[in-house]
Each structure stands twice: as C-alpha cells, then as structure tokens.
Amino acid sequence: MESLTEDLWTMVLARLPIKISTGLKIVCKQWKSIVESPFFREVFQSMHQNSSSSSWSLMSRFDEDPEIVGHYQCDTWGLDRSLGSFIKSFLADKQQKHKDQRVSVEAYSDVGLILIHVESTDREKGVIYVANPVSRECVEILIPDPLPKRFGTYEYSFLWQWGLVTRTENGVLLGYKVILIDKLLRDRKLSCRIYSSETGLWSLETFHLPYSFNHHYFSGYPISLNGNLHWLGWNNDRHDIVLSMDMYATCTGSDRCRVTPFPDLEKTTMFKRFCTPCQGFLMYMNITKVDGSLEDKLCLWKLQSGGWQLISEISPDLTLAGLDCSPSLMINPLDAKTAYFWSNKQERLLSINLHNGKKFVIHNQFEARIFLTRQRERESFDVRIYYIPFILPQWLHRIPNTVSIKQPLTTTAILHG
C-alpha cells in the first residue's frame, strides 16, 4: 500500500461516503493532505454526480417528527437513517446543555447547515448555533441583546424571523450570515440584525421593499439559496408572490429586494403554491387548467433574474392518481425531472417524470431510498408556513472559522440603505 501514488489513493478514497472523510484525515498526514485537496473534491464530485446520490427531506416546523418525505441511504453521504433523526439527536444534545430553555431549529441553508436557537432566560442571554447535524460540527454565537418586547410585557415572537445564508465559491463554503428580521414594517423598510462569519460582528441593516407589506403576508421559513432569502407570501392585493432579498449584494436600497408574482395567477391551480430549491434555482410546479382546453397541465417553472421561465409542460393521467393538496408535493432538489405527490386514494407516495411522464409511479412506504413518515390530516395548514425543504449538498462544506469578537449591538452599528 505504501507504493500507491497520491492519484491512486485519491481514486480509492473518493469512493467512500462524505461522512467518513473527517475520520480519514486522522489516519495519516498523507490522507489528510489528499482529502483536503481541491483535486480530491473534484474527483469525489465527479464520482457522485448521480442525481440520486444525496439526501434531502421536507421538514415540518412544529411536529415532533419533523419529516414528511425524504431520501436517504445515498452513496454520497452513506447515511443509514433520515435527516430528521440526525436533527432530533443534535437538538437533544443541545437541550441537555441548556436545561429549562427552549431549543429549536429556526432556519435551513442550501449547503446542509441549520440554525439552532436557544431562547434567552433571566439568567443568560440567548445563544444560536450554526451546525451540520450529520457531521455534528457547530459554531456557537451569542445573541448580543435580548429581543425587544412589544405591546407592553408580551413578546409577539411571530414578528421576528430567523434566516441563514451562505457564500460559496468553486464548491467551497467561504462564509455565512445569520439574519434576525424585524417583520414589523415601517414605511416599506425592513430592519435586520445580521451576524457575519467573516467579521464575527453583529450589525444593523435596513432593506427597502418595492412596496408596503403587512407582516401577516410573510409566510413561515424563508428558503435560503445562493446568498438570497426567498419568502412565499402575498402582496396587498392578496396575490401569491415570491419576495427575494439578496444578503450579499453590494448595492443598497430597493435593488437588494425583488418581488416576483407567480406565473399562473390567472389560472385555476390544483395545489397551494410552493417552491423547491433545485440545482441552484428556485422551482415552482403546479397542475393547472389550460385556457380553452379541458386537459390538465403539470407545469414546471424556474425563477431567474428576469422572472419565471417555463421548463416543462406535460399532461399526466390523473384518473387513478387521487392526488391530495398536501405538503408532500415536492420537486426532487437534485433532479428537476422528478416530482413527488401524496395520493389519498393510493395512500402512497407517487412520483412522475416532469419531462415526458404520463403515468405516476407508486412508491412503497418502506422503500430504502424514498420514505414517507405519515400523512398529516391538516388541510387547513398552509404548506408555505409549516414546511421547508432541507438538502445535503454533494460535498461536505466545513463551517468557516469565525472571528471571536463579542460586540454588543449599539446605535453606532452599520446602517445600509
């Protein structure tokens, strides 16, 4: 074995799952050098570029069992259980450390990181963790000041929203930002407290929205993608829109915020509108009635800077599908050709090829790679408020080292816009 060249070792080690790579580094200096090299990352990603080789889940915000539908046992990560179980285990460990305090997941990122919030008590300030629940790597960050209370002594927690965005380059995670958003709008201005891993400091920033919103029009978790936060909500006319905020843009003012109406507002749709991050884009899918036709169309759109682009349009056979308007409606985050639905009639998870499919494929509940935990009977719940996609990338993004500076937030903090 000592006679093997580094190229051959790279070819051998790159066939192992990501989860093992951390352990490989402590075997010897040669392996550590190989695993940390850009060449190893390129070889690994080329070997695991199959669309079915990473893990993802549709997470619920309030359930004890957070996952609705998910994919695991992939070659890339080598997981033997679902992402939800890793998150629950990680939360249990933090709960042991912070007894008598509420510990919860507040945000998910597009590079497999989550944001854990430990609510403050009279004894200590609040703490947040940026963490990878699978590798169990985490960074602890102190919240500089307690959240202000509104309306006397009662705190309206729904007026605060957490977010987590990341900055990557050539497949390497360079930094992240933790965002605490004050959803009580004032004159189309949205105030945010932002922690940057690159400075180790909290700052204040103000975002100028294109027009006035009511805080009730923001829905649930924002979707983090490419340094942007995307909310699904409504404008003042109660039309479904996507509000996008660029957290890494160098410009100021309203150029950092964009409101995009959904492309099928004039059509009758079967499902509540819901988006999925897929292959670096925000995707939207629905079944609509086409003007002048009795035929249903399953349409897929991709959000770009210029608006929604129609990717595919097919006419599936809905006769035996028995589809339900449930939150298990989802596009495969790594394969834009595959979509999943829940069928009340079949009591099974269905999938379909969005490019040329006519028939739905019925999945067994106990398949190793695709699973469904259970069907919630909550038709009154809005999918945009209670569910969020969570995806592990096809590479292990190590959390960047942060500058250890604990600075209280003051009126001299940075203001933008």
Side-chain angles (χ1 to χ4, degrees):
M1 293 176 66
E2 294 178 355
S3 64
L4 294 180
T5 64
E6 287 200 357
D7 286 352
L8 289 175
W9 272 122
T10 299
M11 300 301 292
V12 172
L13 299 180
R15 285 171 166 79
L16 300 175
I18 283 180
K19 195 170 181 292
I20 301 175
S21 64
T22 301
L24 297 178
K25 295 181 182 181
I26 63 175
V27 173
C28 63
K29 292 182 179 180
Q30 182 190 25
W31 283 21
K32 184 178 188 296
S33 175
I34 291 172
V35 172
E36 292 181 346
S37 69
F39 177 64
F40 178 84
R41 184 176 67 250
E42 293 173 4
V43 172
F44 182 95
Q45 291 176 326
S46 67
M47 287 185 173
H48 297 267
Q49 61 186 349
N50 188 306
S51 61
S52 64
S53 63
S54 195
S55 296
W56 54 267
S57 292
L58 187 63
M59 309 299 296
S60 168
R61 183 173 185 180
F62 296 114
D63 288 334
E64 293 182 0
D65 186 1
E67 277 175 309
I68 304 299
V69 61
H71 173 281
Y72 70 109
Q73 286 193 348
C74 62
D75 298 332
T76 304
W77 282 85
L79 306 184
D80 56 357
R81 51 196 174 96
S82 66
L83 291 181
S85 64
F86 284 98
I87 293 174
K88 289 174 66 175
S89 173
F90 190 86
L91 288 176
D93 288 348
K94 295 305 173 189
Q95 191 70 63
Q96 288 293 320
K97 179 179 179 181
H98 302 277
K99 296 185 183 299
D100 302 324
Q101 292 178 269
R102 182 175 178 268
V103 180
S104 58
V105 180
E106 295 290 351
Y108 297 87
S109 79
D110 54 344
V111 295
L113 303 181
I114 60 176
L115 181 67
I116 305 293
H117 177 212
V118 181
E119 292 188 0
S120 61
T121 65
D122 294 336
R123 298 188 305 274
E124 61 178 292
K125 293 183 178 181
V127 174
I128 54 177
Y129 293 93
V130 176
N132 182 320
V134 177
S135 68
R136 307 189 79 80
E137 180 188 11
C138 71
V139 174
E140 179 178 320
I141 304 168
L142 292 180
I143 302 174
D145 293 310
L147 298 184
K149 296 184 182 298
R150 306 195 188 284
F151 310 108
T153 59
Y154 187 77
E155 182 178 330
Y156 280 70
S157 60
F158 64 83
L159 292 176
W160 300 100
Q161 173 73 66
W162 291 96
L164 177 64
V165 296
T166 57
R167 184 170 70 91
T168 60
E169 184 176 312
N170 299 323
V172 178
L173 178 62
L174 300 180
Y176 60 86
K177 289 185 177 182
V178 177
I179 299 97
L180 180 57
I181 299 170
D182 181 355
K183 290 166 60 176
L184 191 63
L185 304 181
R186 302 171 184 84
D187 299 325
R188 297 177 7 186
K189 295 179 181 179
L190 196 63
S191 297
C192 301
R193 301 182 180 195
I194 299 179
Y195 175 87
S196 171
S197 66
E198 298 174 25
T199 63
L201 300 174
W202 288 88
S203 64
L204 283 173
E205 294 192 24
T206 300
F207 289 82
H208 294 264
L209 303 180
Y211 47 80
S212 178
F213 285 84
N214 185 298
H215 73 267
H216 292 294
Y217 295 176
F218 291 93
S219 56
Y221 285 131
I223 296 176
S224 174
L225 189 62
N226 302 327
N228 288 256
L229 291 179
H230 301 278
W231 279 270
L232 309 185
W234 309 270
N235 59 20
N236 289 331
D237 296 325
R238 304 294 292 182
H239 293 153
D240 290 336
I241 57 93
V242 174
L243 172 63
S244 305
M245 295 172 56
D246 190 340
M247 295 297 174
Y248 278 99
T250 56
C251 56
T252 60
S254 59
D255 293 337
R256 300 183 67 180
C257 300
R258 186 174 76 250
V259 174
T260 309
F262 277 87
D264 54 358
L265 292 178
E266 305 301 323
K267 300 182 183 297
T268 302
T269 60
M270 180 177 291
F271 301 101
K272 290 183 178 180
R273 295 179 174 94
F274 180 62
C275 292
T276 303
C278 178
Q279 298 176 329
F281 292 93
L282 203 66
M283 299 284 197
Y284 164 63
M285 154 182 82
N286 218 322
I287 296 177
T288 65
K289 292 285 187 181
V290 180
D291 295 339
S293 173
L294 299 177
E295 191 175 39
D296 294 324
K297 291 286 187 180
L298 176 55
C299 301
L300 174 67
W301 287 271
K302 176 170 66 176
L303 183 61
Q304 297 184 311
S305 57
W308 292 102
Q309 176 187 354
L310 182 64
I311 301 300
S312 66
E313 186 179 65
I314 61 174
S315 300
D317 183 3
L318 301 178
T319 307
L320 300 176
L323 300 180
D324 178 36
C325 301
S326 76
S328 49
L329 163 71
M330 186 176 182
I331 305 165
N332 187 313
L334 300 165
D335 178 12
K337 300 189 299 294
T338 306
Y340 299 98
F341 301 83
W342 172 255
S343 169
N344 272 340
K345 186 172 184 176
Q346 302 284 350
E347 294 188 347
R348 288 289 185 273
L349 188 69
L350 308 182
S351 67
I352 191 170
N353 187 309
L354 292 171
H355 285 188
N356 53 21
K358 295 290 184 180
K359 300 289 185 180
F360 286 90
V361 177
I362 302 175
H363 292 273
N364 187 294
Q365 187 172 359
F366 301 104
E367 288 183 24
R369 290 184 177 270
I370 300 293
F371 75 94
L372 186 74
T373 55
R374 68 179 184 272
Q375 175 66 9
R376 274 76 168 179
E377 296 178 356
R378 297 181 178 178
E379 295 183 0
S380 61
F381 276 10
D382 191 329
V383 62
R384 293 166 295 195
I385 297 177
Y386 292 96
Y387 302 95
I388 187 72
F390 180 47
I391 307 159
L392 289 183
Q394 293 184 292
W395 180 249
L396 176 62
H397 291 292
R398 303 304 304 274
I399 303 177
N401 292 327
T402 57
V403 181
S404 298
I405 299 177
K406 304 297 187 295
Q407 172 179 298
L409 193 66
T410 68
T411 55
T412 60
I414 301 173
L415 292 172
H416 294 285

